[in-house]
Amino acid sequence: MSGHNISASNSRRNFLRSMGRLAIALPVLPGCLSTGEPEEIDLPEMVSTTFEELPGSLRRTPQVKAWLEVLEDGRVRIFSGKVELGQGIRNAIRQVAADELFTELDQIEVVLAETGLTPNEGYTAGSGSIQNSAMAVRHAAAAAREQLLDLAAEKLQVTREELRLQSAKIKVADSDRQLSFADILEGRQLEGEVPLDLKMKPKSAYQFVGHPIPRSDLRDIVQGKTKYIHDIDASDLVHARVLRPHNYQSELLRFDETAFKQESEGVLKTVRNGNFLGVITEREYQAERAVQLLAKHSEWSKPAIFPRQNELPEHIKSIASEPDVVHGKEAVLDRNAAEIKLAASFFKPYTMHAALGTACGLAQYDGTTLHVWSHSQGIYPMREGLALMLDMPVEKIHVISAPGSGAYGHTVADDAAADAAVLAMAYPGKMVRVRWSRTDENRWEPYGSAMITELEAGLDSDGKISFWRTDVWTDSHSTRPNKDAGTLLTARYLDTPKPMQGRGYLGGGHRNGDPYYQIPGMQVAAHYFDGPLRVSSLRSLGSFANIFAIESFMDDLAERSGQDALEFRLRHLEDQRAIDVIRQVREMVGTVSPQAGEGIGFAFCRYKNHAAYCAMAARVKVDPATEAIELQKIWAAIDVGEVINPDSLKSQTEGGILQAIGWTLQEEVRFSESEITSDDWSTYRVPRLQDAPEIGVTIIDRPEEAAMGGGEAAVPPVAAAICNAIYRAGGKRIYRLPVRS
C-alpha cells in the first residue's frame, strides 16, 4: 500500500490512558440516532469541487488525522475543538460526518475540546461552530473517504468505479466482498492534508443533514442523568472555596488565621496569595462553612468605585474617548437636503449571563503537569492565560472541557478554573474542586456592556432615507482569556498581580451599528469607554443594543413619512434573502388583528451584516391603567443558509428569543457606590416560566447556500419588535431598557 498517507495510530489512545483521569461520555440511545439504512450511491455521482480556501478551522489545522481517526471496531472518532453549550454542535458534527463517510450515526463518535487531543479552534462563540468546525469536519471526512476508497481499490484489486460505500464499509458492487474502514487501515491512520480539490457527496443524497435528528443526550438531560462538571467525583477529590472581596479594588487588610483555625473543621490547607484567599477542605459542606469563617476573620477595604446608578448614561459619556468613525469616513451626510429629520437616543444597561448553575472548576497537579477541567468556551486560549498566570510552560497544562450550566459568552467558568489551578498548585496530588456561590457569580461575572446608541437620519421627498448617522458609546465586548494573564480574574489578585494589559475586542460594540439597508450617506462613530463594571462577551455583543435602536428608529421614520413599517423596510432592501424573511414574518402574522390595548411590532436583522437573517414580530397587550405589559406571542423567520438540523436551529432561535426577552423587559445589573447589589434571583430577575410567550419559528432552508450558525441571530431583533408593539398598543415609545425598570 505504498504511496498512500497512513501512519501508526496509538498516540491518542496512549494520551487518554496516561493523561485522562476522567472520561465524560454521552451514551448512544437506541432508536435516537438513525433515520434508516443509508442508501448506496454510485461514486460517479460525487460532486468534484475546487474550493478557493479551506473552511473555518481547517485553514489552521489542515491535517486529516487532526479531525478523525478510525477505531479498531470500524467506527470513526471525530475531533472538534468546539464546546457543547446546549446548542447541539456534537449532534450537528455527527450528522455531517456520517453523511460524508456513508456511515450510520451510531458509527460516529464525537470528542469535543481537549488540549493535545482536539484541534485548537479558539472559542466557541459568535455563532461560528457550524461554518468553522462542522464544515471543517465535512471536508476532512470527504478527504478521508477518498483516501479510504483509493486504499480499498488497491487492496481489493478493483477499480474505484466498482466500489460502493455503506455503513462504514466499502463493498465491491454485485459481490459479497467488502472491507470495513478498520480492515482497510489495519491499525494505522490516514495522513496528509485536506486538499482544495475535493469530491463531495451531493446534498441531494444526504441521509442526515437537513433532518431533525434528535440529540443523543436529551433523554439523560431530562431524566437528570447527565454528568456535569459539578458531578465529577474521584477518590482523591477535595473541596475548595475562595473568599471574594467587596469590589474590584478591595484589598485584604487583615486575616486572623489563628482564630480561623480554632473555629474551622476539616480544613486541609488555607491559601493566601496577595489578595487571593482560599481554603481547601475534606468535604463540601466544610468548604461552605470555612469560607464563611474566612469572611468573619478577615477585613477588606471597601472603596467607592461606582457611579450613581441613575447617572450611568451621563457617566458613560463623560469617560468616553473622542469618536472613532468606524464606517463611512468619506460619507457625505446632506442634512439640508432632507425633507424630514429625526434624532433619538437609546440606552441599554449592564446585563448578566445569569447562568442558572454557578461556575465550577477542577484542577490537579501531579508534580509535572497541571490537569484542569472546565466549562470554559475556549480551552486552548484559557490554557495560555493559565500558563502566564502561573509562570508555567503551556505544554505542562492539560485542559479538558466538561459540560456546565448553559450560558452564551464569557462567564466566570474560566475564573473558577483559575481558582482551582492556584489552589491545586498549592496542594499537589489531589483533585481540587472549586464551586462559586450565586452571590459571587452575580457580583463578579463579566457583564454585557451598558451602551448608548444615538441615531440621526433624514428622509427625502420620496420618503426614502437620504442620510444616516449612528453614534455608539460602548465598552469592550470581549475580554476572554488569552495570552494576557489578566483576562483571568484570579491573576489580578495574586501576590504578584497581573492586571489586564489590553481592552479586548472593542469592535463588538458597533456590531450592526450600520443598518443593513440601502442608504446613500451613512456613517457610524464609536465612542469607547473603560467602564466601571467588568465586561466581556455576551450573546450577540453590541448587536442587541444597536438593532433595538435602529429597528425602533425605522418604525419612527416610517410613521413620520406615513408609510407601512414593513413596506418602508422593504423599500430600503435589495438583498432577496432579507426581503424573504420579512415577507415570511408578515405571512406568519397573517390576519391576526390586535384588540384594544394590543399591538404588533416588527424588527429585522442580518446578524453582523454578513451572517444569518432573522425577522420578527411581537404581539403585546398594555394595561392602560397600570401600564403592565403582557407579551403574548413572538413570530420569527430565520435563514441560516443550509440547515444541518432544523430542530436544533429552532431550539436555538427560541432560546435566543427567551434570553433577549429578559434583557428587554426585566434584566439590569444594579449597584451601589461600593458593590454590585444584584446578587440573587430577586435582585436580578430573569424571566420565569409564566413570562414565556408563545413562540412560532419558521426556517427558510437554502441547501444551496453556505451553512451559517443561528445561535445569536434571533437575539438582536427581539427588543425592537417588543418595543414597537408596545408603542402600537399604548402610544409610548421605549428608549431605555429594561422596559420594567
Side-chain angles (χ1 to χ4, degrees):
M1 294 191 295
S2 60
H4 296 291
N5 292 317
I6 54 179
S7 66
S9 174
N10 58 17
S11 60
R12 286 197 172 95
R13 281 185 287 275
N14 288 342
F15 183 89
L16 286 169
R17 290 192 188 105
S18 64
M19 301 287 280
R21 290 291 309 221
L22 177 86
I24 299 175
L26 296 177
V28 174
L29 301 178
C32 288
L33 294 180
S34 179
T35 60
E37 191 78 3
E39 296 179 3
E40 292 186 26
I41 182 170
D42 291 334
L43 295 180
E45 294 182 17
M46 305 298 281
V47 180
S48 296
T49 308
T50 299
F51 298 92
E52 293 184 1
E53 62 179 1
L54 295 174
S57 304
L58 202 57
R59 292 194 289 272
R60 179 164 52 184
T61 311
Q63 296 78 21
V64 173
K65 68 178 181 181
W67 297 92
L68 61 87
E69 69 175 354
V70 175
L71 303 178
E72 294 175 358
D73 60 4
R75 295 181 306 116
V76 178
R77 177 178 288 148
I78 302 294
F79 300 95
S80 169
K82 296 299 183 180
V83 175
E84 177 61 67
L85 306 169
Q87 81 277 38
I89 187 60
R90 186 190 301 271
N91 211 37
I93 287 173
R94 181 185 281 119
Q95 290 177 250
V96 166
D99 257 328
E100 212 60 57
L101 289 166
F102 292 77
T103 71
E104 294 280 15
L105 283 169
D106 58 9
Q107 292 174 308
I108 299 293
E109 173 188 324
V110 180
V111 176
L112 300 178
E114 180 173 346
T115 60
L117 180 64
T118 63
N120 180 356
E121 295 197 76
Y123 308 109
T124 302
S127 294
S129 295
I130 290 294
Q131 57 263 50
N132 291 321
S133 193
M135 294 303 103
V137 167
R138 173 179 279 176
H139 282 238
R145 181 199 65 233
E146 291 303 299
Q147 286 193 42
L148 287 166
L149 285 166
D150 285 343
L151 291 167
E154 186 173 339
K155 198 174 184 71
L156 294 167
Q157 296 186 332
V158 297
T159 64
R160 278 185 48 133
E161 287 70 28
E162 297 176 75
L163 297 177
R164 301 292 181 269
L165 272 162
Q166 186 177 12
S167 299
K169 294 182 177 65
I170 296 180
K171 305 178 179 183
V172 178
D174 302 321
S175 166
D176 293 333
R177 300 171 66 199
Q178 66 177 27
L179 295 170
S180 71
F181 291 171
D183 294 334
I184 295 168
L185 294 176
E186 297 180 321
R188 300 160 77 183
Q189 290 299 329
L190 299 166
E191 291 262 9
E193 295 187 356
V194 178
L196 291 173
D197 296 318
L198 200 57
K199 290 183 178 179
M200 308 294 291
K201 186 176 185 178
K203 294 184 178 182
S204 60
Y206 284 161
Q207 290 291 110
F208 306 114
V209 169
H211 297 283
I213 307 297
R215 283 171 50 185
S216 60
D217 58 337
L218 286 183
R219 185 179 300 174
D220 279 0
I221 290 174
V222 171
Q223 294 179 352
K225 297 178 181 178
T226 298
K227 299 297 183 183
Y228 293 94
I229 188 170
H230 309 73
D231 304 314
I232 292 176
D233 200 0
S235 59
D236 53 0
L237 179 70
V238 294
H239 300 271
R241 297 290 184 272
V242 174
L243 179 63
R244 298 288 165 200
H246 300 287
N247 64 43
Y248 310 137
Q249 297 179 21
S250 294
E251 294 184 355
L252 181 55
L253 304 176
R254 179 187 60 84
F255 171 50
D256 189 341
E257 189 168 4
T258 301
F260 168 76
K261 286 181 177 180
Q262 289 175 349
E263 291 190 51
S264 61
E265 177 185 354
V267 173
L268 301 171
K269 190 176 183 67
T270 304
V271 178
R272 179 177 180 180
N273 187 337
N275 286 314
F276 177 93
L277 185 58
V279 63
I280 303 170
T281 63
E282 296 173 346
R283 296 192 299 275
E284 185 167 17
Y285 174 76
Q286 292 169 341
E288 294 284 358
R289 173 62 178 156
V291 79
Q292 295 173 15
L293 291 174
L294 286 179
K296 176 182 176 181
H297 296 294
S298 62
E299 180 184 354
W300 297 78
S301 64
K302 192 176 181 180
I305 63 172
F306 300 135
R308 296 180 185 276
Q309 181 95 44
N310 60 359
E311 297 174 357
L312 181 58
E314 294 78 11
H315 177 74
I316 284 173
K317 285 195 171 185
S318 72
I319 62 174
S321 63
E322 291 298 313
D324 176 18
V325 178
V326 295
H327 179 88
K329 287 186 178 181
E330 306 301 324
V332 176
L333 308 185
D334 190 355
R335 293 171 172 84
N336 294 328
E339 295 277 331
I340 298 173
K341 290 189 283 286
L342 195 64
S345 180
F346 299 83
F347 175 75
K348 168 206 164 288
Y350 289 100
T351 47
M352 290 185 191
H353 296 82
L356 294 184
T358 58
C360 182
L362 293 94
Q364 184 169 25
Y365 182 57
D366 63 13
T368 302
T369 301
L370 175 67
H371 307 275
V372 178
W373 290 260
S374 176
H375 51 116
S376 166
Q377 290 184 219
I379 61 166
Y380 276 97
M382 185 184 75
R383 182 176 70 160
E384 293 179 336
L386 289 174
L388 290 169
M389 180 183 76
L390 299 170
D391 295 318
M392 288 181 68
V394 71
E395 62 271 13
K396 295 296 184 181
I397 300 177
H398 168 222
V399 184
I400 305 166
S401 174
S405 182
Y408 288 78
H410 172 201
T411 68
V412 289
D414 306 86
D415 302 317
D419 288 345
V422 169
L423 294 168
M425 295 298 293
Y427 198 70
K430 297 290 187 178
M431 180 183 283
V432 179
R433 175 181 180 268
V434 172
R435 183 176 63 80
W436 280 43
S437 71
R438 169 55 52 199
T439 296
D440 286 345
E441 177 134 348
N442 279 25
R443 287 182 174 180
W444 287 88
E445 76 143 270
Y447 309 118
S449 176
M451 289 179 59
I452 301 169
T453 306
E454 293 191 348
L455 305 175
E456 178 190 9
L459 298 171
D460 61 22
S461 58
D462 193 36
K464 294 193 72 174
I465 301 173
S466 59
F467 79 88
W468 184 291
R469 165 89 178 196
T470 300
D471 281 88
V472 178
W473 281 260
T474 179
D475 202 336
S476 174
H477 280 264
S478 181
T479 57
R480 290 179 181 275
N482 52 33
K483 295 179 181 180
D484 180 354
T487 53
L488 294 169
L489 183 68
T490 310
R492 307 177 199 178
Y493 297 92
L494 302 179
D495 188 46
T496 304
K498 294 182 170 64
M500 198 164 64
Q501 299 300 308
R503 292 287 312 284
Y505 177 50
L506 294 173
H510 54 79
R511 178 175 291 178
N512 282 112
D514 50 326
Y516 194 67
Y517 297 107
Q518 297 301 310
I519 300 172
M522 186 196 304
Q523 197 171 77
V524 180
H527 308 247
Y528 302 119
F529 63 85
D530 191 356
L533 273 60
R534 185 188 184 201
V535 295
S536 193
S537 307
L538 181 55
R539 199 175 194 172
S540 84
L541 307 191
S543 294
F544 174 75
N546 291 328
I547 292 297
F548 159 56
I550 288 169
E551 288 297 297
S552 297
F553 201 59
M554 288 293 287
D555 257 33
D556 269 351
L557 289 169
E559 184 179 54
R560 287 286 298 273
S561 60
Q563 299 179 65
D564 174 80
L566 288 186
E567 288 301 323
F568 181 71
R569 288 169 170 81
L570 293 173
R571 289 188 69 198
H572 290 85
L573 286 168
E574 294 180 354
D575 185 338
Q576 190 60 48
R577 294 172 70 178
I579 292 169
D580 287 348
V581 292
I582 290 176
R583 287 177 173 168
Q584 182 62 55
V585 161
R586 182 165 59 187
E587 183 177 323
M588 293 168 71
V589 174
T591 59
V592 173
S593 180
Q595 305 300 307
E598 295 180 349
I600 295 178
F602 296 90
F604 160 77
C605 173
R606 183 175 187 190
Y607 186 49
K608 302 180 187 178
N609 282 354
H610 61 76
Y613 302 78
C614 186
M616 198 169 294
R619 182 178 182 177
V620 304
K621 183 175 183 180
V622 178
D623 187 307
T626 64
E627 295 189 343
I629 298 165
E630 177 190 345
L631 179 56
Q632 299 173 320
K633 184 165 184 175
I634 296 274
W635 297 267
I638 189 164
D639 173 0
V640 299
E642 179 190 11
V643 176
I644 304 302
N645 188 316
D647 273 8
S648 289
L649 177 58
K650 182 180 179 183
S651 296
Q652 283 294 287
T653 303
E654 292 171 341
I657 290 169
L658 288 169
Q659 188 169 26
I661 286 171
W663 299 344
T664 302
L665 296 178
Q666 298 171 337
E667 298 181 43
E668 179 177 15
V669 176
R670 308 293 299 182
F671 50 87
S672 68
E673 293 183 3
S674 58
E675 61 187 352
I676 305 297
T677 57
S678 296
D679 56 7
D680 57 26
W681 296 129
S682 296
T683 51
Y684 189 86
R685 181 180 170 84
V686 296
R688 270 60 166 178
L689 202 56
Q690 65 267 25
D691 298 319
E694 179 184 353
I695 300 176
V697 177
T698 295
I699 297 169
I700 299 177
D701 188 11
R702 299 185 187 272
E704 74 285 356
E705 299 285 351
M708 298 181 289
E712 297 185 323
V715 172
V718 172
I722 292 173
C723 292
N724 286 337
I726 291 171
Y727 176 76
R728 294 183 180 278
K732 181 179 180 181
R733 172 63 63 193
I734 305 297
Y735 295 101
R736 180 180 179 129
L737 298 179
V739 177
R740 296 171 179 155
S741 59

